[in-house]
Amino acid sequence: MSEAVTRTVTTPPGLLASLDPLLREWLPRQRWFAGKGRPVTGFALVSATELLPPTANLGLYHLLVRAHQPLLAGHGGHEQPGDCYQLLIGVREALPPRLAPALIGHVTRGPLAGRTVYEALHDTRPADLLLEALRTRARIGGLRFERVPHQEVRSGLVPRLMTAEQSNSSVVYGDTFILKLLRRIVPGINPDLELPLALAREGCPRVPPPTAWLVADPEGAGASAPAEPYVLGVLQPFVQGATDGWELALRELAKGEDFVAEARALGRATAEVHTALARALPTVTLGHTQLRSLVDGMTQRLEAAVHAVPSLRPYAGGLRSAFSALDQLAAEGSTWTAQRVHGDLHLGQCLRSPAGEWSLIDFEGEPARPLAERRMPQPAVRDVAGMLRSFDYAARSVDPPQPDWAGHCRAAYCSGYAEAAGRDPRTDPVLLRAYETDKAVYEVVYEARHRPEWLPVPLAAVQRLASPDPT
Ligand SMILES: Nc1ncnc2c1ncn2[C@@H]1O[C@H](COP(=O)(O)OP(=O)(O)O)[C@@H](O)[C@H]1O
Ligand SMILES: O=P(O)(O)O[C@H]1O[C@H](CO)[C@@H](O[C@H]2O[C@H](CO)[C@@H](O)[C@H](O)[C@H]2O)[C@H](O)[C@H]1O
């Protein structure tokens, strides 16, 4: 085992000020930028770590920056502290053509004046440096690189940045590991590390086990540092030759084939993960009081969604009834078990290996929700509802839509789940409808914000779920 490398570093004063005008323009254009629709009016430095001092060839900075954004009209136009983002900034005299897509801009003032800065994850040497730091369990400034002791990482694996549309950024190393660098950073235990670690401890083979991870310690994070570290990234085994469930479902739809066997296998895989999570982490019983606050949350999200997306308005009453029916059951004495769940499960989060084995990935939960909420135990049906919505999405993304295809998948998924969990989610239709409704409302807002052309897909579900007896 190699010794941990500890390196203290200093960063040049005025670094952020010199990057500020370039980042204001560049950051909002990134897919992973969460504050779309509001301009960035400035930055505050949360932490800066010089990973490579700038020479003629290359310099490298790790930055955590808080982007200031004014609130939308109606909130007084004041600035709020804004989200914190993780950036890896490369510095060169000039960019070689292969790095042109990574350009952030040319610095005109401050310590880097005359240099070109770029998104360093596109570049081999910075990506190598991250893997090497994880491999050697380095400490660099306030950055701490951790690795599971018995899991060796070979040096020299060739990196490539994934180009998929993502909420974060991932680098694949030699088809052996994948490093996901989180982009919007919040202090505290991140479920994307916490849950796969817990599942690995349980020996659950359905989730790639974390091999290594990096965090920023608060003492390196400025005077107003939070008490908890920031989880910045997770390295895990890369499932070679995998196809994700969304791609696979669309492929079968295009061929006119059903997806029933895979949907059943996915149901089983989901149940196995839920069973392992319920063993690994605390579960609680939800009585009327807890259910009431859950239902209140769903209702508030619905009200906010109706405000943001007016086409929801005609269905609001029917959708509310999905939530009040659940509240009614709780008032009559029904209780439910809550446990840790995936939190944002859909076909794109399921990977099928060439051998036909399914894995679940991306345990971050819905990134827009507060961390404390994402880490709360919830009925496992929440994930089931996410998957049921996903079959519907796939069936409605083709022309003409294939509702029967979705119906068969939904039934098979629930049967597979029942086989492995010993309980069929369909035996609790009121809970299932409430969670499907909550998810469809979330999707309406998500699509209105990110992909307006997809809005009809969740709106069709809203129409169905708003009726008292949705089929
Ligand atoms: N362990 C893995 N093996 C193979 N591919 C993976 C693995 N983890 C993630 N991926 C690929 O990376 C993509 C993004 O990963 P994900 O964790 O969903 O990131 P994000 O939170 O940015 O959406 C996935 O859709 C999948 O294609
Ligand atoms: O980026 P994430 O994977 O964390 O999830 C977000 O984006 C998803 C879309 O990429 C979105 O999922 C919705 O669209 C999918 C098809 O593209 C569909 O399979 C899902 O069922 C549907 O919810 C997800 O909601 C959002 O959080």
Side-chain angles (χ1 to χ4, degrees):
M1 190 192 308
S2 21
E3 282 297 298
V5 178
T6 302
R7 195 150 66 78
T8 44
V9 287
T10 50
T11 43
L15 176 71
L16 185 62
S18 67
L19 297 177
D20 181 298
L22 303 177
L23 292 180
R24 277 188 206 207
E25 206 267 318
W26 175 81
L27 186 67
R29 286 192 277 118
Q30 304 314 301
R31 158 71 168 87
W32 40 263
F33 179 66
K36 298 239 161 53
R38 288 176 295 142
V40 174
T41 53
F43 295 96
L45 197 60
V46 175
S47 88
T49 309
E50 189 176 78
L51 294 175
L52 288 174
T55 61
N57 282 333
L58 181 62
L60 183 61
Y61 293 98
H62 179 281
L63 299 184
L64 294 180
V65 294
R66 200 169 286 290
H68 294 302
Q69 294 190 270
L71 284 175
L72 290 174
H75 293 80
H78 297 304
E79 283 192 1
Q80 56 181 0
D83 292 321
C84 176
Y85 292 96
Q86 173 171 216
L87 309 178
L88 203 63
I89 305 286
V91 183
R92 284 177 178 261
E93 295 277 325
L95 273 194
R98 70 183 164 84
L99 289 175
L103 177 72
I104 295 176
H106 306 288
V107 186
T108 55
R109 58 184 170 149
L112 301 177
R115 312 279 183 114
T116 299
V117 289
Y118 65 105
E119 158 70 280
L121 282 178
H122 288 254
D123 201 355
T124 338
R125 176 119 183 263
D128 285 344
L129 185 145
L130 290 179
L131 187 69
E132 193 55 17
L134 289 164
R135 200 179 75 76
T136 56
R137 296 186 292 136
R139 305 267 185 281
I140 309 175
L143 300 180
R144 186 154 48 86
F145 297 80
E146 302 285 359
R147 174 169 59 75
V148 176
H150 60 269
Q151 288 189 27
E152 295 298 320
V153 175
R154 208 155 45 80
S155 60
L157 295 168
V158 177
R160 80 183 143 84
L161 180 65
M162 283 197 55
T163 50
E165 289 277 289
Q166 276 185 256
S167 309
N168 298 288
S169 297
S170 298
V171 181
V172 177
Y173 290 95
D175 273 7
T176 305
F177 291 107
I178 179 165
L179 172 63
K180 170 153 127 181
L181 284 180
L182 301 174
R183 287 304 196 161
R184 197 170 69 89
I185 302 298
V186 285
I189 297 167
N190 193 304
D192 216 4
L193 175 60
E194 180 194 21
L195 296 188
L197 276 179
L199 288 162
R201 278 197 304 272
E202 284 297 319
C204 173
R206 294 289 172 196
V207 174
T211 305
W213 52 92
L214 66 142
V215 299
D217 282 323
E219 52 273 16
S224 59
E228 295 178 293
Y230 295 92
V231 174
L232 303 176
V234 181
L235 183 80
Q236 57 173 242
F238 183 70
V239 183
Q240 287 183 24
T243 316
D244 75 50
W246 176 253
E247 227 176 288
L248 215 55
L250 292 192
R251 207 184 285 169
E252 297 310 299
L253 270 162
K255 288 193 291 191
E257 301 280 340
D258 73 34
F259 195 60
V260 163
E262 296 300 353
R264 185 180 285 266
L266 275 167
R268 279 196 298 268
T270 310
E272 284 172 33
V273 169
H274 282 164
T275 304
L277 282 176
R279 266 200 316 262
L281 295 163
T283 62
V284 293
T285 301
L286 302 179
H288 191 206
T289 312
Q290 296 84 351
L291 233 289
R292 166 62 57 78
S293 84
L294 223 146
V295 163
D296 283 351
M298 290 176 171
T299 310
Q300 279 159 19
R301 283 191 288 278
L302 171 61
E303 302 312 334
V306 170
H307 185 74
V309 188
S311 46
L312 267 180
R313 193 159 300 143
Y315 309 107
L319 297 175
R320 270 185 221 112
S321 76
F323 305 145
S324 53
L326 182 58
D327 189 48
Q328 182 61 34
L329 271 192
E332 287 162 11
S334 295
T335 58
W336 288 268
T337 301
Q339 63 161 92
R340 298 297 301 279
V341 298
H342 180 284
D344 191 16
L345 195 58
H346 56 80
L347 280 163
Q349 316 280 39
C350 307
L351 297 181
R352 202 187 71 152
S353 73
E357 293 296 331
W358 285 101
S359 306
L360 308 190
I361 55 164
D362 195 2
F363 283 73
E364 207 185 357
E366 285 170 12
R369 293 205 192 185
L371 197 64
E373 197 181 313
R374 289 191 255 148
R375 294 188 60 225
M376 259 163 32
Q378 300 175 60
V381 153
R382 171 159 182 189
D383 287 344
V384 171
M387 285 300 290
L388 297 185
R389 291 287 316 113
S390 215
F391 294 121
D392 184 54
Y393 251 78
R396 285 188 184 276
S397 73
V398 293
D399 191 18
Q402 304 291 326
D404 288 347
W405 183 96
H408 294 142
C409 287
R410 289 161 60 94
Y413 178 80
C414 289
S415 301
Y417 190 95
E419 278 161 23
R423 61 179 188 283
D424 192 318
R426 289 166 294 186
T427 55
D428 206 347
V430 174
L431 187 67
L432 195 52
R433 177 182 170 216
Y435 271 103
E436 254 205 276
T437 302
D438 191 41
K439 186 70 187 182
V441 167
Y442 164 83
E443 288 167 343
V444 165
V445 177
Y446 178 87
E447 301 303 1
R449 198 170 285 161
H450 296 277
R451 310 184 294 189
E453 68 284 6
W454 283 71
L455 196 50
V457 174
L459 276 178
V462 155
Q463 208 168 350
R464 174 175 64 84
L465 290 158
S467 84
D469 186 19
T471 44

